């Protein structure tokens, strides 16, 4: 009953998130990579997207719920987090801006000089998306509400019809997730997450000939599709005075998640495995992790993008640095955990689409959280 009541309000929240995203800017083309988790905390993406042997705050619930039992305090986290994700290739944007500024430098009037330099339309390859989550985690379970909304655009010089234009996607995804965990023996932790998802993906092609109808279609989102799924996870964990060893295993989407009305692409079952090694003192730690996601290749993503690695430096339990290999590209992040307010900055390359139709774009992420 609680889940049913919670999901009724998701549509309203997603439309608010969508409106914010549209008002702020536009983002990348094609849909998100379905081999990614439906929610991943930015600091974990900065650490290469590794979440099987260590994850940050509410990233545990949809990363590996078996990690819940490792917390020192019974209440591990309770709070609200907001994430802002502008995206774009700075070199490409600078080149486009130079073309735009240079197009008006000459005062000569001629048919040749009056031609428009289409490279300035690369300015459309900007991006912005927003995420919000409200969660509470304990050593034995947790729950979260999350939503992600954005408008995505990608300039296409030739287009499918030979006319310059832009590919566009309105992408909305969120839901409610509830987790439970226990450890039958000291070195083994088990966990599971039940998730109820709602979302919508609308693909658009904007050209000078159809932009009015495309914008009208963008405003008419219709109903959101719904899907449910179950994740299970295990953690084998051995702890010494200064070194910890861990092996993480998860199966995402025991049964593939299919959204009603085909509102979004199906989320396939994915088996994941990861190793972790931590050197630590009483208040400081260095955690090394390597993971291989989607062992069966159900997502259609390349081998290189399914391998992830990262290092987290955690100092005085308040300050963190992360470096990693995410989507086969370098990633970086920093976080500061004050008593109530948590701040973070991250950089990584996000993948949109899958296989031969995919492309990457840098994202520059700021996240702000309030909680205990």
């Amino acid at each position: 009953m609680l889940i049913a009541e919670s999901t009724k309000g998701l549509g309203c929240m997603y439309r608010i998130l969508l409106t914010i995203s549209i008002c702020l800017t536009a983002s990348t083309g094609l849909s998100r990579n379905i081999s990614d988790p439906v929610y991943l905390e930015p600091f974990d993406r900065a650490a290469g997207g590794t979440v099987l042997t260590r994850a940050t705050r509410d990233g545990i619930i949809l990363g590996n719920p078996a990690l819940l039992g490792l917390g020192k305090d019974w209440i591990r986290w309770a709070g609200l987090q907001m994430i802002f994700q502008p995206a774009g290739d700075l070199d490409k944007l600078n080149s486009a801006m130079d073309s735009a500024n240079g197009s008006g430098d000459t005062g000569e009037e001629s048919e040749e000089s009056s031609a428009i330099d289409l490279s300035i339309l690369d300015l459309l390859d900007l991006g912005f998306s927003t995420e919000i989550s409200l969660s509470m985690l304990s050593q034995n379970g947790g729950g979260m509400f999350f939503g992600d909304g954005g408008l995505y655009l990608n300039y296409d010089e030739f287009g499918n019809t030979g006319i310059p234009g832009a590919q566009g996607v309105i992408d909305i995804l969120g839901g409610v997730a509830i987790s439970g965990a226990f450890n039958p023996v000291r070195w083994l932790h088990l966990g599971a997450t039940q998730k109820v998802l709602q979302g919508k993906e609308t693909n658009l092609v904007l050209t000078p000939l159809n932009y009015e109808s495309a914008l009208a279609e963008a405003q008419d989102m219709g109903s959101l599709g719904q899907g449910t799924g179950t994740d299970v996870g295990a953690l084998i964990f051995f702890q010494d005075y200064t070194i910890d060893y861990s092996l993480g295993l998860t199966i995402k989407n025991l049964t593939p998640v299919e959204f009603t009305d085909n509102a979004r692409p199906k989320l396939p079952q994915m088996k994941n495995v990861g190793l972790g090694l931590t050197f630590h003192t009483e208040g400081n730690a260095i955690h090394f992790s390597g993971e291989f996601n989607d062992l069966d290749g159900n997502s259609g993503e390349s081998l290189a993008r399914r391998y992830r690695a990262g290092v987290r430096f955690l100092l005085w339990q308040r300050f963190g640095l992360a470096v990693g290999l995410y989507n086969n590209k370098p990633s970086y992040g920093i976080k500061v955990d004050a008593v109530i307010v948590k701040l973070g900055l991250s950089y990584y390359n996000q993948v949109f689409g899958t296989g031969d139709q995919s492309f990457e774009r840098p994202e520059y992420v700021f996240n702000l959280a309030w909680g205990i």
Side-chain angles (χ1 to χ4, degrees), residues 173-193:
L173 180 64
V176 178
I178 298 176
S179 297
F182 71 103
N183 55 313
V185 293
R186 183 177 181 180
W187 51 269
L188 177 62
H189 298 261
L190 302 174
T193 296

Side-chain angles (χ1 to χ4, degrees), residues 266-282:
K266 180 174 68 174
L267 302 179
Q269 182 190 96
M270 292 184 292
K271 302 181 181 71
N272 313 302
V273 60
L275 294 172
L277 178 65
T278 306
F279 298 92
H280 61 86
T281 62
E282 184 65 26

Side-chain angles (χ1 to χ4, degrees), residues 72-135:
K72 294 182 178 179
D73 301 320
W74 191 78
I75 296 294
R76 298 199 55 178
W77 164 255
L80 171 72
Q81 177 163 243
M82 299 185 68
I83 303 170
F84 306 92
Q85 301 179 119
D89 188 322
L90 295 182
D91 291 336
K92 190 175 182 181
L93 294 176
N94 286 334
S95 176
M97 292 181 68
D98 290 342
S99 297
N101 294 331
S103 63
D105 288 344
T106 178
E108 297 180 5
E109 296 289 342
S110 70
E111 183 177 347
E112 180 178 356
S113 64
S114 63
I116 298 176
D117 184 355
L118 292 179
S119 65
I120 67 175
L121 295 180
D122 282 339
L123 288 169
L124 288 176
D125 288 345
L126 288 172
F128 197 97
S129 62
T130 58
E131 295 183 35
I132 186 170
S133 67
L134 179 65
S135 58

Side-chain angles (χ1 to χ4, degrees), residues 231-357:
D231 302 339
V232 295
L235 180 73
I236 298 173
F237 182 76
F238 296 100
Q239 187 172 36
D240 201 350
Y241 289 107
T242 58
I243 305 177
D244 299 341
Y245 310 89
S246 52
L247 169 66
L249 304 163
T250 62
I251 301 177
K252 301 290 185 182
N253 312 316
L254 285 177
T255 301
V257 178
E258 298 192 38
F259 290 84
T260 56
D261 300 325
N262 294 317
R264 290 188 53 82
K266 180 174 68 174
L267 302 179
Q269 182 190 96
M270 292 184 292
K271 302 181 181 71
N272 313 302
V273 60
L275 294 172
L277 178 65
T278 306
F279 298 92
H280 61 86
T281 62
E282 184 65 26
N284 306 312
I286 302 177
H287 180 80
F288 298 87
S289 53
E291 299 178 3
F292 193 78
N293 290 348
D294 188 18
L295 296 175
D296 298 329
N298 293 331
S299 67
E301 196 48 83
S302 67
L303 286 172
R305 286 178 178 166
R306 283 149 53 197
Y307 173 75
R308 295 173 180 181
V311 182
R312 296 172 175 87
F313 302 86
L314 307 171
L315 306 175
W316 312 298
Q317 299 181 350
R318 297 294 183 191
F319 181 73
L321 291 171
V323 295
L325 186 69
Y326 180 59
N327 288 322
N328 203 33
K329 292 291 180 65
S331 55
Y332 319 93
I334 184 173
K335 70 171 183 173
V336 178
D337 293 341
V339 178
I340 299 295
V341 178
K342 325 291 182 182
L343 302 173
L345 294 172
S346 304
Y347 164 86
Y348 43 78
N349 278 265
Q350 188 61 280
V351 174
F352 299 89
T354 57
D356 295 336
Q357 300 301 315

